[in-house]
Amino acid sequence: MKEVAAVFQKEWRAEVRSRHGLFTAGLFSVLAVVAMSFAGYGLRPSGSLAAGMLCVTLLFSAILALPRTFLIEDEQGTFDLLRLIGEPGPVFVGKTLYNIVQMLVTGALLGTVFLALSGVEVRSGPLLVAGLGLQCVALAAAVSLCGALVIGASNRWVLAGAVAMPLLLPQVFLGVGALRVALGEGMSAGGWQSVAGLAGFAVAALASGPLIASAVWREE
Amino acid sequence: MLAVRDLGRKFGPRWVLRHIEFSLEPGEVLVVRGRNGAGKSTLLRLLAGLLSPSEGTVALPPGPLRTAVGYAALDLALYPGLTAREHLQFSATMRQIEDSGDVLLGQVGLANAADRPVGQFSSGMRARLKLALALQASPPVLLLDEPTASLDEEGRAIVDTLVDRQRDRGVVVLATNDPHDCRQATGVLQLE
């Protein structure tokens, strides 16, 4: 547990001093939402369209900011140091927890700005919070898993894109499924079913991550 | 304490190292020499567990690798945003040992720079911090790759002292072509 906290603290210190991840994700999110609102000025998007816009913006924010948590270790050459002093499991969990916090902050900022600018009516607040929150968690877990899988590979950025596709697409669909109901379209049961799917996805990614990291990181 | 049997490593179809054999007992210092590209750094990375062998075995003292082996190399990077003290504290927590890092920072001459971000360090100061990190868990096996390459006279003297101390608790493997580093050698492995 102490090791997980140490990794989380290291990531937090690096973020506070560089302000790279949150700044990148936050700036992108706000810019994207402002641009969409400008393009659709005077129009109120349907629940499905609004949910799609929100989920896609969230997805791109995650892809922009989160892989850095893992791949930066390889880029700056510190992955060796990490392997020398730590065990893969706690490193994965610490970094993923940090990614989750970063994604939740980004999601809260994005959701607030989006709702304020788009004029979309919220039908179910709890479903919106649960859907948006769990999509942030699932995205952070999936992108972390992706980073853990490709770290150390010579063509890691290309590989990251290829690995991310099957991991991210299902949860984007689930996210849209939950948020479209929260924003006024479809049946409530379907929305909560999508939330359950997102939770299952997040749990699976979080549970398998340490095992995958242990298997992959010891070999080079 | 450290036994290497028929060790080999290839990258793609090309063998970088083959048929390496040696064993070291406590107090021994092995100097690994050879031209650039002979495989000195690869050998140390194999011993540190950062590379897996293509053939052969490395037998290390029992216990987790992170406390059994200390490794410092020129190409080992540090976190530019963390201070020297934060590096040692992070490393101690990850290795599950109690150490504030103050003693080690004093030993390598970084006590006055303990709270400066490593991004502001010179290459020699970074080399000293890597040495401190390698020695932190008092490992029985110490692996040093070109340890004095970026150090001044004072830094070289520190390495000499620390290598000498290490002989009391274990073994040292030094990859170098610098005659200065060979003075404490009890054996030499020449790589072709």
Side-chain angles (χ1 to χ4, degrees):
Chain A
M1 201 56 206
K2 275 185 181 175
E3 293 159 85
V4 171
V7 174
F8 184 93
Q9 191 182 35
K10 177 185 84 67
E11 297 300 330
W12 177 252
R13 279 178 171 153
E15 176 60 34
V16 167
R17 286 166 194 175
S18 74
R19 292 183 202 90
H20 189 281
L22 272 172
F23 183 76
T24 308
L27 188 66
F28 172 82
S29 302
V30 171
L31 276 177
V33 170
V34 169
M36 284 188 289
S37 303
F38 181 72
Y41 182 73
L43 302 171
R44 180 177 286 186
S46 66
S48 292
L49 182 61
M53 291 187 331
L54 198 53
C55 287
V56 168
T57 311
L58 206 56
L59 173 69
F60 279 102
S61 303
I63 288 174
L64 262 179
L66 298 187
R68 290 189 61 81
T69 320
F70 282 90
L71 299 186
I72 192 80
E73 299 280 358
D74 224 1
E75 298 281 306
Q76 68 187 12
T78 45
F79 186 44
D80 279 348
L81 178 62
L82 208 52
R83 288 200 297 157
L84 282 167
I85 62 175
E87 289 295 316
V91 171
F92 177 85
V93 176
K95 281 178 172 286
T96 304
L97 283 179
Y98 174 76
N99 276 349
I100 288 172
V101 171
Q102 182 172 309
M103 207 58 225
L104 285 171
V105 172
T106 306
L109 175 72
L110 173 63
T112 307
V113 176
F114 183 81
L115 290 176
L117 293 181
S118 67
V120 175
E121 198 173 318
V122 179
R123 190 172 74 184
S124 168
L127 187 56
L128 178 71
V129 171
L132 199 57
L134 275 170
Q135 182 161 27
C136 288
V137 175
L139 268 174
V143 175
S144 301
L145 192 59
C146 189
L149 273 169
V150 304
I151 195 169
S154 55
N155 52 351
R156 50 192 166 273
W157 287 102
V158 178
L159 204 56
V163 173
M165 186 81 84
L167 283 173
L168 297 178
L169 264 183
Q171 60 175 280
V172 171
F173 293 150
L174 289 169
V176 171
L179 294 181
R180 67 190 280 273
V181 177
L183 299 176
E185 270 184 38
M187 304 289 286
S188 177
W192 286 108
Q193 200 172 12
S194 296
V195 166
L198 281 172
F201 192 98
V203 169
L206 287 171
S208 60
L211 300 174
I212 289 171
S214 299
V216 174
W217 293 2
R218 283 294 172 213
E219 288 291 317
E220 191 180 307
Chain B
M1 178 164 265
L2 171 64
V4 172
R5 294 279 170 269
D6 196 27
L7 188 65
R9 170 72 195 200
K10 61 180 177 179
F11 291 104
R14 184 174 157 266
W15 286 95
V16 175
L17 282 175
R18 245 191 144 173
H19 307 309
I20 303 294
E21 297 233 3
F22 63 84
S23 62
L24 298 176
E25 293 304 320
E28 291 193 278
V29 178
L30 178 72
V31 167
V32 183
R33 304 184 61 161
R35 57 178 168 72
N36 294 341
K40 300 187 296 292
S41 297
T42 301
L43 175 59
L44 262 66
R45 288 176 65 81
L46 283 163
L47 299 180
L50 291 171
L51 280 176
S52 49
S54 302
E55 65 178 17
T57 57
V58 176
L60 291 163
L65 205 59
R66 60 189 179 203
T67 50
V69 174
Y71 172 83
L74 266 180
D75 62 357
L76 186 70
L78 301 165
Y79 295 103
L82 296 190
T83 66
R85 193 191 308 280
E86 285 167 352
H87 270 86
L88 285 162
Q89 287 170 348
F90 175 57
S91 166
T93 310
M94 296 306 286
R95 285 170 155 148
Q96 298 177 330
I97 55 174
E98 293 292 327
D99 178 36
S100 66
D102 291 341
V103 174
L104 276 166
L105 286 169
Q107 283 177 351
V108 297
L110 287 178
N112 292 332
D115 296 313
R116 272 170 55 189
V118 166
Q120 297 174 7
F121 275 20
S122 69
S123 55
M125 291 166 82
R126 281 197 291 269
R128 291 177 187 218
L129 179 56
K130 288 178 207 175
L131 197 59
L133 285 164
L135 287 162
Q136 190 177 35
S138 303
V141 177
L142 181 62
L143 309 170
L144 302 175
D145 190 357
E146 308 277 4
T148 56
S150 53
L151 292 178
D152 54 17
E153 280 308 313
E154 185 199 331
R156 284 167 176 250
I158 288 170
V159 172
D160 286 348
T161 307
L162 294 175
V163 166
D164 211 34
R165 276 190 208 157
Q166 173 68 19
R167 294 176 67 175
D168 295 337
R169 64 169 175 242
V171 300
V172 183
V173 181
L174 263 161
T176 183
N177 282 319
D178 187 339
H180 173 94
D181 297 340
C182 302
R183 291 187 306 189
Q184 289 164 295
T186 56
V188 174
L189 175 67
Q190 183 73 37
L191 297 179
E192 300 300 332

